[in-house]
Amino acid sequence: NVVCGTLKDFLRSLKDPLIPNAMWKAVTEAAVKSVSDEFHAAVFFLPEKNLHSLKFVITHLQKVMNIPENKMSKDNLAKILGPTVVGYSSGDPSPLEMIGETVVLAKCM
C-alpha cells in the first residue's frame, strides 16, 4: 500500500499525466479499439521521459501481478492506477466524466 500510494502521489504531482493531455484522445481511442499496432504507434510518439516512465511503471506492475502475495488482479490494478497514469480527458473532469472514462483508462493500462 505504501509503494502504491507513493507512486500515485508522484504521478499526481506531474504537470501532465504520463499520457499528456494533448495525446490523450489518440492513445485512448487506439486502446479502446483494441488495435495493438495503433496503440503502440500512439504510445511511441510520447515524449521520451513519459515513454520511459510509462515503461517502468508497466514493467513494475507486471512484476507485482506475479507476486503470489498480491491480491489485486490486473483489472483492479488498472482501475486503481489508470486515472493517475493515463489521466482524464480534461484537467478538471466532472464526477460523471470520471466514472465514464474509467473503462477507457483501464483499457490503456
Side-chain angles (χ1 to χ4, degrees):
N1 281 340
V2 173
V3 174
C4 184
T6 303
L7 176 62
K8 287 174 73 174
D9 286 344
F10 167 73
L11 292 170
R12 283 189 202 115
S13 74
L14 299 174
K15 180 182 172 188
D16 249 350
L18 294 182
I19 307 296
N21 294 330
M23 299 179 76
W24 191 89
K25 187 174 180 174
V27 172
T28 57
E29 284 180 354
V32 168
K33 287 195 271 183
S34 297
V35 179
S36 63
D37 288 345
E38 282 184 39
F39 181 72
H40 288 113
V43 170
F44 179 78
F45 287 104
L46 290 173
E48 189 174 354
K49 291 178 185 177
N50 295 51
L51 181 59
H52 290 298
S53 297
L54 182 62
K55 284 180 182 180
F56 179 84
V57 168
I58 297 300
T59 300
H60 175 71
L61 292 176
Q62 288 172 333
K63 290 176 184 176
V64 167
M65 287 187 307
N66 292 323
I67 296 172
E69 296 82 15
N70 174 41
K71 295 178 181 162
M72 292 190 74
S73 69
K74 70 177 183 174
D75 292 334
N76 284 341
L77 285 169
K79 287 176 189 171
I80 297 298
L81 292 169
T84 50
V85 172
V86 181
Y88 291 103
S89 61
S90 69
D92 188 24
S94 72
L96 273 172
E97 287 173 315
M98 293 168 76
I99 291 168
E101 292 177 3
T102 299
V103 173
V104 173
L105 302 178
K107 283 196 172 263
C108 286
M109 295 294 293

